[in-house]
Amino acid sequence: MTTPNTERQSEIKKFLDLLFEGILEVFAETDCFSNEPSPSIFLVYAHKNPSVGKAYDDKAVQLIKWLKDVRSKAFSDKSLVPGLWATREEKDDASVHDILSNQFCLLPERSRVAKGKKVTSVNKVILCCSEVLQSYSEDTRMHGYTNELKDFYSKAEGKHQDIEAIREGIQTLIRHYRNKEGFHHVITELAFLDIRSSRGESRHDIIPVVFNGNGIEYLRYFDKAQTVWLKVKNDPLMLHPCQGCHKLFFQVLRRLYEKQERSISELQTYYEECIQSLLSQESLPPRETFMAKIESKKLKTLDRLIYDAYATCRVLLKDSPQQLGLSSVPFGGNPNFVGRESLIKDIDEKLTSSEYCQRVALWGLGGIGKTQIALEYARRRRKATPGCAIFWIPAISVATFEKAYLEIGKLLEIPGISDAKADVKSLVQEKLNDERTGEWLIIVDNADDGGVLFHETSPGTLRLIDFLPSSPKGSIIFTTRTRSVAVEQVSAQDNRIEVAEMSKIEAKDLLKKILGETAVDQEPEAIDELLNLLAQLPLAIIQAASFIAKTAIQLVDYISMFKSSETDTIKMLSENFEDLNRYREMKNPVATTWLISFEQIRKEDPLAARYLSFMACLLRENIPQSLLPEEKSAFDKTQAIGTLAAYSFLTRKESTHMFEMHRLVHLVTRNWLKDQKQLAIHTDNTLLRVSALPYGGHEDNKIWAEYLPHVIYIAASSKESDKWQARAELLDKTGQCQRSLGQYRASEETCRQVFDLYQTRLGVNHSWTLTSMNNLSLALKYQGKYTEAEKIYRETLTLLEKVSGKERSLTLSVMNNLSSALSDQGKYTEAEKMCREMLALLEKVFRKEHPETLNVINSLSIVLSKHGKYTEAEKMYREMLALLEKVFRKEHPDTLSIMNSLSLVLSDQEKYEEAEKIYWKTLTLLEKVSGKEHPSTLSVMNNLSSALSDQGKYTEAEKMYRETLALREKVSGKEHPQTLILMNNLSLTLSYQRRYTEAEKMYRETLTLREKLSGKEHPETLTVMNNLSSTLSYQRKYTEAEKMYQETLALREKVLGKEHPKTLTVMNNLSSVLSNQGKYVEAEMICRETLALREKVSGKEHPDTLVSIRNLKYVVDKQKKNALAEDIRQGSSST
């Protein structure tokens, strides 16, 4: 039973945890610990081992969690450290490789002359001491290992060995020792720390933490005098022991982040004040009251921290008023400025130096907010250090630069600055280089054109950038649209800051500033959509908000206009608006802003301009580099891509060969091309380039899967192109790729476009038109639209026979496809007749082993098998196989295909063992020839699984089904038709094992995916419905099963017809479920109808007919027994 004291302690802990979580949130919001200068941290601790002692691993894990909550760069042996050479591979020694990949970061930074890749070394290490760690460290069994490891590393470093060689050497040592008594991975970490601390300067970076444990004498490399001991003890004055852990965390933060002492102290004081508030009360306050109080105090503390963050970066304001420094900033403060706090803080930290003049470059897309960030920083800098002079230099042109310098000279009251012959730039530079002038900040804005700052009027003359001062009392901020100019302006990489789009929260806040909170809060979904459309670009947001405010248009109406057409969107992006914080001589609209960059790119890198134009004709996302037009020079191609990336028009997806264009840049570029009368030309060029798309298939699937979305886009946008033939060929390839992906509806739509193009341009009798009709029929057939497919096949065949004759390859191909469509509808006699006719024609022209002949023989064998003529089908397959093995090698794809088909017909005859044997042989050869993931290999694996299941080898069958399903999902995706067939088959095997609940769940998932992919009426959808109904019946859910059977039967009759074998299968199953419910009269009626149709369609001897006879006999016998039982019962009653 819980005592009142225990309940109070539990409640106190909840209060303290809430308080501490609030503090962690403040740390996270102020972003104190995640900026680039902040140290990376690794925690070393021993895992739980009660047989040795206390590990306090729970406290170590808690410490890691808290560090991550405050957004510090903390890692451990369980988290992948970014920047390392190692990858997580699934191998026998994966655990060694995995852990070692993280442990390497404990080693010190390597010397400059070391070979190979660099290993990322963390800046700080927290060593969580414990009884377990001490026991491992003092265990003499592992001293040999640690000494060997340290000796090996020392020698390798001495020889400046390649890091890969060091890695291999250490892994070899670990493999040797890891199975020996006393080995633990943390011992490797201790050895690495020993190596790290041997470099004297690294010792103070290792922070020992003692959790109520022993001392740290066993750690030889620590100097007691220099070590800060952190212990958690239970203090009688504490409300709860968790306070000790909280205090410990504050101490750890102080050791890690010495520069953040003020922030840490502020929040610890806030924590202690809240504790004192609780101590002063006799009973605990209501939780809501306590939360409201700490929330209010938290917000005040947060505001104070953010405000002080900038003031404390500079000298503190003195009590007496200071004289304001000079200023040439042309704009007032921006009342609508929001967010960007971490950026401004980063700028301030980088510009703080008493040794030399620091420079920072803000670079990014036009309209991203670089000038406004610089302006806001200048405002805060002036507030923090009023005596600092702030000078603004627009670098739009040489004239604007020189004019700004003259104004600065006048503000500084430089003698003779206004003289006609004065060297203004040299005089200003000399004055600002004089440290007696005092502190100053220069903002060189819009330094986009390298020709302005870096142009030499004549050889040997100074450039404008050479006139910038370099006094340690000053600092300079550049804003530019291009990374390449930023590199020229600022040599230190860390001081080149890329300005990205606003966060979603910042973008919303900006809208609220302009439109008001009420307007924004009333339409939250519309706001999210609008910000997404505007790519969270500040200039675009301001422009849109200005238009909305001026016209009083509703947000949803603005969005509708924006999305309606490219023309309307461009008009809206080109709409001018009033902005007091931008140059009057420069136009404000987003579209106009980027035209400057477009012209600059066209001037400095024509190939980059061509690439930009090319990509504007594609989808803006996932653009493969291989799709870009080929160039003779790889250097030129790389440079052109670099130029577009430098302007932020293009970004490379991390660790891929894919690019992405900014949403609005893509749109504006298309409009720019349209205005230049160039869009149609570039569309045609792009159309010709993407025509390199392969015709689907497995071998090139990586290429066409990447190209396909762009191909569809260019095909849709080139409808007016006079390159109609290239477009038709591209659409034809697209349709076949879509078919390879199982996107049959999309393939049908594409094939119809191809047919319409060829029919319009070439007429219906042209071979290309007739080929397109054949492909369209194929797309219809795969969707189960057999009647429509048959109709078009017959039309195509009639035209082909008239134009080309019966013996032409295309004619025979159409005949073969038509026979398949007939077979799918259960019209086996007609299909067989057509196959035999084709075979007779082919044998006149080709030998038996010719691919076209083999294809028809295979089709005929399939029809015979479906018709129940298994013996004849088997004989035909064996003859083909003998012929192929004689003509080709056993590994030939045609041979393997026939082996697979022969196994299928053997299974149909219940010759499972022989079928299984051939399947295994086929699979072995296919894996060797085509690989494990080839569709043909997966098809045989599926068939083999079925053969195993048919023999009752359910466990083995399930295992293979699951393996095949995993591979199929990897190769084709979750929603591919073949994936869904596998899911259906696996469900069937689960059902055979009486795992009905599991089977039902998978059937329902398969049915949902199948309906989404193929529609409710597709034959495969109906197959899943039939199988799901059976599983429901097995679970005695007869009512639900009957209902689904009835629905399936109605759809099968509609799609396939009353006499189709699959329709008759459902009728048979429905009669069974009716019988199981005692509805014998109704069941008998369906049984008799099924039997009559089976005899008509398949004949009296067909296996399916025999099944129907047995079912009817069962129902009749059941009724007779019931009648007899009733007679007996009545006789007994009368007696």
Side-chain angles (χ1 to χ4, degrees), residues 740-753:
S740 290
L741 287 168
Q743 299 172 357
Y744 301 131
R745 277 187 279 192
S747 180
E748 178 196 340
E749 185 181 333
T750 305
C751 288
R752 287 192 188 279
Q753 291 183 61

Side-chain angles (χ1 to χ4, degrees), residues 265-323:
S265 296
E266 180 86 35
L267 284 165
Q268 188 167 5
T269 301
Y270 156 50
Y271 175 84
E272 289 168 353
E273 285 175 357
C274 291
I275 297 293
Q276 286 298 323
S277 172
L278 283 174
L279 282 168
S280 65
Q281 301 182 49
E282 292 183 6
S283 60
L284 291 174
R287 187 178 298 187
E288 294 77 10
T289 306
F290 180 71
M291 284 302 298
K293 187 173 183 179
I294 67 171
E295 185 66 23
S296 172
K297 193 167 184 62
K298 183 181 87 171
L299 290 173
K300 289 178 183 177
T301 305
L302 179 60
D303 287 343
R304 190 161 60 249
L305 284 173
I306 291 173
Y307 176 81
D308 290 347
Y310 309 104
T312 54
C313 292
R314 303 289 170 188
V315 295
L316 294 172
L317 291 172
K318 296 179 181 177
D319 294 334
S320 57
Q322 293 188 34
Q323 183 179 353

Side-chain angles (χ1 to χ4, degrees), residues 691-904:
S691 62
L693 178 77
Y695 273 91
H698 175 74
E699 287 72 18
D700 297 313
N701 68 335
K702 287 186 178 178
I703 299 172
W704 60 255
E706 289 177 352
Y707 286 12
L708 190 58
H710 301 288
V711 169
I712 293 169
Y713 180 83
I714 189 67
S717 59
S718 60
K719 288 179 180 177
E720 305 303 318
S721 171
D722 58 0
K723 308 284 185 191
W724 69 267
Q725 187 175 330
R727 182 169 179 268
E729 289 173 4
L730 190 63
L731 284 167
D732 184 38
K733 292 179 180 181
T734 302
Q736 297 195 47
C737 290
Q738 288 167 329
R739 196 163 66 237
S740 290
L741 287 168
Q743 299 172 357
Y744 301 131
R745 277 187 279 192
S747 180
E748 178 196 340
E749 185 181 333
T750 305
C751 288
R752 287 192 188 279
Q753 291 183 61
V754 178
F755 170 67
D756 289 341
L757 263 172
Y758 282 140
Q759 185 184 35
T760 304
R761 297 279 183 168
L762 303 174
V764 75
N765 291 331
H766 196 281
S767 60
W768 291 355
T769 310
L770 297 170
T771 300
S772 70
M773 290 174 71
N774 180 55
N775 292 340
L776 172 57
S777 304
L778 209 55
L780 292 165
K781 174 184 174 297
Y782 280 123
Q783 293 177 79
K785 298 178 179 179
Y786 303 127
T787 308
E788 192 177 351
E790 180 189 343
K791 181 185 175 186
I792 297 176
Y793 275 137
R794 290 192 185 279
E795 288 175 11
T796 312
L797 187 58
T798 302
L799 290 166
L800 275 167
E801 288 176 349
K802 177 184 173 184
V803 174
S804 307
K806 275 198 171 186
E807 294 179 9
R808 292 297 293 272
S809 178
L810 181 57
T811 309
L812 294 169
S813 176
V814 173
M815 286 178 73
N816 195 32
N817 291 340
L818 173 56
S819 70
S820 178
L822 292 168
S823 177
D824 287 330
Q825 296 174 80
K827 298 176 180 180
Y828 302 128
T829 305
E830 191 177 353
E832 181 184 340
K833 181 183 175 184
M834 184 165 282
C835 284
R836 292 192 186 280
E837 183 185 351
M838 281 188 287
L839 195 55
L841 289 168
L842 282 166
E843 285 177 346
K844 286 182 186 178
V845 183
F846 303 120
R847 296 170 64 181
K848 271 198 171 185
E849 63 270 20
H850 190 278
E852 291 198 31
T853 310
L854 292 173
N855 194 27
V856 173
I857 293 173
N858 190 44
S859 297
L860 174 57
S861 303
I862 291 170
V863 172
L864 291 170
S865 182
K866 284 184 176 180
H867 206 180
K869 299 179 180 181
Y870 303 125
T871 306
E872 189 178 352
E874 180 186 343
K875 181 185 174 187
M876 191 169 279
Y877 278 132
R878 289 193 187 277
E879 288 175 0
M880 286 172 66
L881 186 58
L883 178 64
L884 287 170
E885 286 180 346
K886 181 180 175 183
V887 177
F888 304 122
R889 64 187 190 281
K890 279 194 175 183
E891 295 90 350
H892 192 279
D894 290 343
T895 310
L896 298 174
S897 175
I898 295 303
M899 287 172 70
N900 180 49
S901 298
L902 173 59
S903 304
L904 277 168

Side-chain angles (χ1 to χ4, degrees), residues 174-317:
I174 292 176
R175 289 192 195 96
H176 178 69
Y177 278 96
R178 65 177 175 176
N179 294 322
K180 294 191 176 184
E181 287 290 326
F183 179 84
H184 300 278
H185 284 295
V186 75
I187 293 172
T188 306
E189 294 175 4
L190 292 175
F192 282 177
L193 289 182
D194 209 343
I195 294 168
R196 184 188 182 102
S197 64
S198 65
R199 308 246 180 122
E201 70 275 8
S202 297
R203 287 194 177 197
H204 70 282
D205 291 335
I206 304 173
I207 304 168
V209 176
V210 182
F211 293 115
N212 288 350
N214 302 323
I216 58 169
E217 291 80 4
Y218 59 94
L219 301 172
R220 297 179 301 281
Y221 41 82
F222 281 118
D223 185 343
K224 279 188 179 182
Q226 295 180 351
T227 302
V228 176
W229 288 45
L230 307 173
K231 296 186 178 181
V232 179
K233 292 183 178 179
N234 293 334
D235 188 334
L237 298 177
M238 287 186 180
L239 284 167
H240 191 276
C242 70
Q243 280 178 258
C245 293
H246 296 167
K247 286 190 174 182
L248 165 72
F249 187 65
F250 283 117
Q251 294 178 68
V252 170
L253 289 180
R254 282 192 170 84
R255 282 299 312 275
L256 292 172
Y257 306 99
E258 294 171 4
K259 291 184 179 179
Q260 299 295 337
E261 169 64 31
R262 182 165 179 175
S263 297
I264 296 166
S265 296
E266 180 86 35
L267 284 165
Q268 188 167 5
T269 301
Y270 156 50
Y271 175 84
E272 289 168 353
E273 285 175 357
C274 291
I275 297 293
Q276 286 298 323
S277 172
L278 283 174
L279 282 168
S280 65
Q281 301 182 49
E282 292 183 6
S283 60
L284 291 174
R287 187 178 298 187
E288 294 77 10
T289 306
F290 180 71
M291 284 302 298
K293 187 173 183 179
I294 67 171
E295 185 66 23
S296 172
K297 193 167 184 62
K298 183 181 87 171
L299 290 173
K300 289 178 183 177
T301 305
L302 179 60
D303 287 343
R304 190 161 60 249
L305 284 173
I306 291 173
Y307 176 81
D308 290 347
Y310 309 104
T312 54
C313 292
R314 303 289 170 188
V315 295
L316 294 172
L317 291 172

